[in-house]
Amino acid sequence: MRNIPITIGAMVLLAACGVSTQQEVQMGQQEAQQVSAQLPMVQDAVIENYVNALGQRIASRTSRADLQWQFQVVNSDMVNAFALPGGFIYINRGVLERASNMSEVAGVVGHEIEHVVRRHSVKQMENAQGANVGVGILCALTGACQSGAAQAAINIGGTAVFAKFSRTDEIQADEGGFNNVMRAGISPRGMYTFFQKLLAEEQSSGGGGATAGWFADHPGTQDRLADIQRMLSQVPASELNGLQSNDSGFATMKARLARLGPAPKVQGQ
Ligand SMILES: [Zn+2]
């Protein structure tokens, strides 16, 4: 397989013909190569394994359990997470640092998984006539590009499959994510408490803080919280209380996180 980005021309062709699962996975793999070349990843086996095991547990109970799901932790303090086509999920360190229990991490992971289950990137690409989505967006997303050169490389190599999702997509990802988490035996309350926490931080920081990227990429958080609350109210308390909120690995993961050196300096901060 040639290690070159898909060109805009190829994208238009793909958009015209529809994207098969195999093509989706290939695009995701190419994007993932770029991501690992350009963004710093947390290199700690305990943290990586924790997030990967949690992700596999949730993804394996979805309709796309057959994908080769991969979960990685980006070494960035910014609160964000993103999904590439084909099942490549990235959770920023800033998410883990703010989580109070396993179910809060699961809420974010379950949400990103649902973007892949519903093929949101693929649909967006099919609808976007191949242009002007996602080029160079990785830097904006994580704020973790370390040099102008890296940013230029991402711009040049931008495969345009990586785009912002609509409010409708976000609501679908919440609702599907909610169910994904529950199917894995995990309490969906963590999704609510975590989004609530992010909203509080966003409001107290006046919009320019570490959560800014999350709110730019996940529009409508306030409405979405109401939607999640509605879903929570429909699950019997006895069922909710029987679901898992935490595990012993979470505290171990947090202890490792606390021992990591500072995240790489972010441009413009
Ligand atoms: Zn989303």
Side-chain angles (χ1 to χ4, degrees):
M1 191 166 45
R2 289 173 304 164
N3 182 17
I4 56 163
I6 298 166
T7 64
I8 295 293
M11 287 208 26
V12 171
L13 195 65
L14 286 173
C17 304
V19 177
S20 70
T21 297
Q22 195 192 352
Q23 287 168 325
E24 178 191 351
V25 169
Q26 278 174 0
M27 283 188 290
Q29 281 168 343
Q30 287 179 329
E31 286 278 325
Q33 277 176 11
Q34 278 191 295
V35 168
S36 38
Q38 306 293 354
L39 296 182
M41 295 297 152
V42 167
Q43 311 279 344
D44 178 297
V46 172
I47 299 169
E48 293 174 82
N49 291 343
Y50 181 81
V51 172
N52 191 53
L54 181 59
Q56 300 295 345
R57 172 176 170 183
I58 299 169
S60 66
R61 282 139 176 117
T62 69
S63 60
R64 302 197 78 189
D66 55 322
L67 291 175
Q68 302 276 310
W69 293 87
Q70 288 182 33
F71 300 84
Q72 290 192 70
V73 181
V74 181
N75 197 2
S76 166
D77 292 331
M78 307 294 280
V79 181
N80 221 332
F82 59 100
L84 302 180
F88 302 86
I89 309 283
Y90 298 84
I91 306 295
N92 280 11
R93 173 180 170 177
V95 168
L96 303 180
E97 284 169 341
R98 279 162 186 79
S100 307
N101 57 50
M102 177 272 279
S103 74
E104 293 194 341
V105 181
V108 174
V109 172
H111 172 103
E112 295 303 328
I113 285 173
E114 189 66 12
H115 279 307
V116 176
V117 168
R118 289 184 178 259
R119 303 180 98 219
H120 281 153
S121 305
V122 175
K123 282 178 192 153
Q124 203 161 41
M125 198 177 67
E126 287 170 340
N127 295 334
Q129 333 244 301
N132 128 44
V133 272
V135 175
I137 212 167
L138 285 174
C139 292
L141 185 91
T142 60
C145 291
Q146 294 180 67
S147 68
Q151 185 147 10
I154 289 178
N155 278 315
I156 292 162
T159 61
V161 288
F162 193 59
K164 282 186 185 174
F165 299 124
S166 68
R167 279 177 181 245
T168 309
D169 288 348
E170 289 305 324
I171 288 169
Q172 285 182 349
D174 286 341
E175 292 180 353
F178 186 101
N179 293 323
N180 292 341
V181 163
M182 275 190 61
R183 267 198 304 273
I186 299 168
S187 173
R189 278 188 188 128
M191 183 183 241
Y192 185 79
T193 56
F194 193 72
F195 289 179
Q196 209 173 28
K197 200 181 293 182
L198 295 192
L199 191 64
E201 183 172 338
E202 176 75 355
Q203 284 167 346
S204 68
S205 73
T211 53
W214 174 273
F215 286 91
D217 296 330
H218 299 83
T221 298
Q222 200 131 28
D223 295 345
R224 289 165 50 208
L225 269 171
D227 193 46
I228 297 168
Q229 192 162 38
R230 179 187 57 75
M231 284 188 288
L232 276 173
S233 71
Q234 289 168 352
V235 183
S238 58
E239 190 179 344
L240 274 181
N241 292 337
L243 295 168
Q244 194 181 357
S245 292
N246 214 355
D247 56 20
S248 59
F250 181 80
T252 314
M253 182 276 290
K254 290 285 272 195
R256 297 289 287 225
L257 208 57
R259 295 219 305 263
L260 286 180
K265 277 270 172 280
V266 173
Q267 237 186 342
Q269 285 201 332

